[in-house]
Amino acid sequence: MAKSASQHDFEKYMSLISKEVGVFGVPGFESISYDDWFRQCENEFNEKLVNAVSYENIDIINSTESVIMFKTIEHIEAKDKTKNATNVVIAITREDDGKWRVTQERILPTDALAQDKNYNLN
């Protein structure tokens, strides 16, 4: 995901997102669907609004043969050089076609970063 987003490869990036995805914890929204994610990314990728995406401190919470749930810190550097770090929990699922895709993402509150002993705020 980080590589395709940083390279503005919209088709490859969206191929990693399940049509059944649900995103929760985004301020101002109850949830975000695949269609919402698609529209937002289409605009961001076309306008090249994101310079770089990376993930830090990936910590697997639970896994089975078909689902992996992990906590990570998502770093996004925007075109205007602003940087944002977000603590997220992501579930990826092996779908019927055998491909792994994001099926759920939960944005954790900002103060969760300060409480995460694996993340240095300085």
Side-chain angles (χ1 to χ4, degrees):
M1 286 178 56
K3 184 177 178 181
S4 58
S6 297
Q7 294 175 344
H8 307 109
D9 188 339
F10 179 69
E11 284 185 38
K12 185 170 186 174
Y13 180 81
M14 290 309 298
S15 75
L16 301 171
I17 311 302
S18 173
K19 302 264 194 226
E20 306 303 317
V21 73
V23 180
F24 307 94
V26 177
F29 298 91
E30 185 173 324
S31 66
I32 293 176
S33 68
Y34 176 87
D35 291 338
D36 299 325
W37 195 330
F38 183 97
R39 282 189 299 273
Q40 177 182 343
C41 288
E42 185 176 42
N43 178 58
E44 289 176 355
F45 282 49
N46 285 340
E47 298 296 321
K48 294 186 172 42
L49 298 178
V50 173
N51 281 346
V53 176
S54 63
Y55 296 92
E56 173 186 26
N57 294 338
I58 295 173
D59 182 21
I60 295 176
I61 298 168
N62 200 354
S63 66
T64 67
E65 289 184 15
S66 60
V67 179
I68 300 171
M69 182 176 284
F70 59 94
K71 179 179 171 185
T72 187
I73 300 168
E74 180 181 64
H75 294 276
I76 298 176
E77 180 184 321
K79 181 179 180 177
D80 66 2
K81 303 295 184 203
T82 58
K83 295 179 181 180
N84 189 22
T86 306
N87 218 0
V88 295
V89 175
I90 298 173
I92 59 174
T93 303
R94 185 178 333 172
E95 295 192 324
D96 293 339
D97 63 0
K99 293 186 180 183
W100 289 89
R101 293 187 178 91
V102 175
T103 50
Q104 188 177 77
E105 184 170 304
R106 179 169 302 280
I107 311 300
L108 300 177
T110 304
D111 61 352
L113 275 175
Q115 296 170 7
D116 189 337
K117 56 187 163 206
N118 293 320
Y119 183 70
N120 181 0
L121 291 171
N122 297 321

mmCIF file of all heavy atoms in Angstrom, residues 1 14 18 26 60 67 69 77 81 86 92 97 106-107 121:
data_model
loop_
_atom_site.group_PDB
_atom_site.id
_atom_site.type_symbol
_atom_site.label_atom_id
_atom_site.label_comp_id
_atom_site.label_asym_id
_atom_site.label_seq_id
_atom_site.Cartn_x
_atom_site.Cartn_y
_atom_site.Cartn_z
ATOM 1 N N MET A 1 0.823 -1.192 0.000
ATOM 2 C CA MET A 1 0.000 0.000 0.000
ATOM 3 C C MET A 1 0.867 1.255 0.000
ATOM 4 O O MET A 1 0.582 2.191 -0.742
ATOM 5 C CB MET A 1 -0.939 0.004 1.207
ATOM 6 C CG MET A 1 -2.100 -0.962 1.083
ATOM 7 S SD MET A 1 -3.190 -1.000 2.524
ATOM 8 C CE MET A 1 -3.650 0.700 2.676
ATOM 9 N N MET A 14 -5.778 0.648 -5.270
ATOM 10 C CA MET A 14 -7.173 0.259 -5.041
ATOM 11 C C MET A 14 -7.371 -1.250 -5.165
ATOM 12 O O MET A 14 -8.305 -1.797 -4.583
ATOM 13 C CB MET A 14 -8.116 1.020 -5.972
ATOM 14 C CG MET A 14 -8.242 2.507 -5.643
ATOM 15 S SD MET A 14 -8.620 2.919 -3.907
ATOM 16 C CE MET A 14 -10.211 2.129 -3.689
ATOM 17 N N SER A 18 -10.469 -3.983 -0.320
ATOM 18 C CA SER A 18 -11.649 -4.809 -0.572
ATOM 19 C C SER A 18 -12.860 -3.940 -0.896
ATOM 20 O O SER A 18 -13.022 -2.852 -0.333
ATOM 21 C CB SER A 18 -11.961 -5.652 0.664
ATOM 22 O OG SER A 18 -13.179 -6.336 0.502
ATOM 23 N N VAL A 26 -12.950 7.987 11.640
ATOM 24 C CA VAL A 26 -12.582 9.228 10.952
ATOM 25 C C VAL A 26 -13.472 10.344 11.503
ATOM 26 O O VAL A 26 -14.699 10.239 11.435
ATOM 27 C CB VAL A 26 -12.767 9.098 9.419
ATOM 28 C CG1 VAL A 26 -12.445 10.416 8.734
ATOM 29 C CG2 VAL A 26 -11.920 7.964 8.874
ATOM 30 N N ILE A 60 1.313 -7.283 14.967
ATOM 31 C CA ILE A 60 0.196 -8.178 14.680
ATOM 32 C C ILE A 60 -0.585 -8.434 15.967
ATOM 33 O O ILE A 60 -0.022 -8.847 16.989
ATOM 34 C CB ILE A 60 0.681 -9.493 14.047
ATOM 35 C CG1 ILE A 60 1.292 -9.189 12.675
ATOM 36 C CG2 ILE A 60 -0.464 -10.498 13.921
ATOM 37 C CD1 ILE A 60 1.900 -10.378 11.973
ATOM 38 N N VAL A 67 -7.203 -14.117 7.740
ATOM 39 C CA VAL A 67 -7.329 -12.740 8.241
ATOM 40 C C VAL A 67 -6.115 -12.410 9.114
ATOM 41 O O VAL A 67 -5.717 -13.225 9.946
ATOM 42 C CB VAL A 67 -8.616 -12.543 9.077
ATOM 43 C CG1 VAL A 67 -8.704 -11.115 9.609
ATOM 44 C CG2 VAL A 67 -9.855 -12.880 8.274
ATOM 45 N N MET A 69 -4.868 -9.128 11.534
ATOM 46 C CA MET A 69 -5.197 -7.820 12.106
ATOM 47 C C MET A 69 -3.942 -7.282 12.783
ATOM 48 O O MET A 69 -3.285 -7.997 13.546
ATOM 49 C CB MET A 69 -6.326 -7.925 13.116
ATOM 50 C CG MET A 69 -6.732 -6.582 13.697
ATOM 51 S SD MET A 69 -8.141 -6.707 14.808
ATOM 52 C CE MET A 69 -9.433 -6.901 13.611
ATOM 53 N N GLU A 77 3.064 12.137 4.165
ATOM 54 C CA GLU A 77 3.629 13.454 3.876
ATOM 55 C C GLU A 77 2.890 14.006 2.669
ATOM 56 O O GLU A 77 2.859 13.394 1.602
ATOM 57 C CB GLU A 77 5.119 13.377 3.556
ATOM 58 C CG GLU A 77 5.709 14.749 3.265
ATOM 59 C CD GLU A 77 7.169 14.700 2.859
ATOM 60 O OE1 GLU A 77 7.922 13.910 3.433
ATOM 61 O OE2 GLU A 77 7.541 15.464 1.935
ATOM 62 N N LYS A 81 4.228 19.459 2.126
ATOM 63 C CA LYS A 81 5.273 19.071 3.091
ATOM 64 C C LYS A 81 4.757 18.884 4.517
ATOM 65 O O LYS A 81 5.550 18.633 5.421
ATOM 66 C CB LYS A 81 6.461 20.040 3.080
ATOM 67 C CG LYS A 81 7.123 20.197 1.733
ATOM 68 C CD LYS A 81 7.759 18.909 1.279
ATOM 69 C CE LYS A 81 8.497 19.138 -0.033
ATOM 70 N NZ LYS A 81 8.686 17.937 -0.791
ATOM 71 N N THR A 86 -0.741 8.729 12.066
ATOM 72 C CA THR A 86 -2.026 8.243 12.563
ATOM 73 C C THR A 86 -1.875 6.810 13.046
ATOM 74 O O THR A 86 -1.338 5.963 12.336
ATOM 75 C CB THR A 86 -3.090 8.290 11.440
ATOM 76 O OG1 THR A 86 -3.132 9.613 10.897
ATOM 77 C CG2 THR A 86 -4.456 7.915 11.959
ATOM 78 N N ILE A 92 -6.529 -7.252 7.185
ATOM 79 C CA ILE A 92 -6.446 -7.673 5.790
ATOM 80 C C ILE A 92 -6.983 -9.099 5.719
ATOM 81 O O ILE A 92 -6.782 -9.896 6.629
ATOM 82 C CB ILE A 92 -5.018 -7.560 5.205
ATOM 83 C CG1 ILE A 92 -4.021 -8.397 5.995
ATOM 84 C CG2 ILE A 92 -4.582 -6.103 5.146
ATOM 85 C CD1 ILE A 92 -2.636 -8.443 5.372
ATOM 86 N N ASP A 97 -10.622 -14.639 -4.414
ATOM 87 C CA ASP A 97 -9.702 -14.746 -5.545
ATOM 88 C C ASP A 97 -8.264 -15.021 -5.104
ATOM 89 O O ASP A 97 -7.345 -15.064 -5.915
ATOM 90 C CB ASP A 97 -9.763 -13.495 -6.420
ATOM 91 C CG ASP A 97 -9.318 -12.236 -5.695
ATOM 92 O OD1 ASP A 97 -8.948 -12.299 -4.498
ATOM 93 O OD2 ASP A 97 -9.334 -11.159 -6.325
ATOM 94 N N ARG A 106 -9.458 0.977 11.358
ATOM 95 C CA ARG A 106 -9.983 1.800 12.447
ATOM 96 C C ARG A 106 -8.913 2.826 12.810
ATOM 97 O O ARG A 106 -7.789 2.473 13.143
ATOM 98 C CB ARG A 106 -10.325 0.956 13.666
ATOM 99 C CG ARG A 106 -10.862 1.790 14.831
ATOM 100 C CD ARG A 106 -11.453 0.957 15.933
ATOM 101 N NE ARG A 106 -12.536 0.112 15.503
ATOM 102 C CZ ARG A 106 -13.802 0.490 15.301
ATOM 103 N NH1 ARG A 106 -14.130 1.753 15.457
ATOM 104 N NH2 ARG A 106 -14.712 -0.379 14.935
ATOM 105 N N ILE A 107 -9.298 4.099 12.702
ATOM 106 C CA ILE A 107 -8.417 5.197 13.082
ATOM 107 C C ILE A 107 -8.544 5.357 14.588
ATOM 108 O O ILE A 107 -9.647 5.533 15.112
ATOM 109 C CB ILE A 107 -8.835 6.525 12.385
ATOM 110 C CG1 ILE A 107 -9.054 6.348 10.887
ATOM 111 C CG2 ILE A 107 -7.843 7.634 12.704
ATOM 112 C CD1 ILE A 107 -7.888 5.873 10.105
ATOM 113 N N LEU A 121 7.364 10.690 19.986
ATOM 114 C CA LEU A 121 6.739 11.920 19.477
ATOM 115 C C LEU A 121 7.760 13.015 19.192
ATOM 116 O O LEU A 121 7.443 14.016 18.579
ATOM 117 C CB LEU A 121 5.696 12.430 20.482
ATOM 118 C CG LEU A 121 4.461 11.575 20.617
ATOM 119 C CD1 LEU A 121 3.603 12.052 21.781
ATOM 120 C CD2 LEU A 121 3.646 11.584 19.335
#
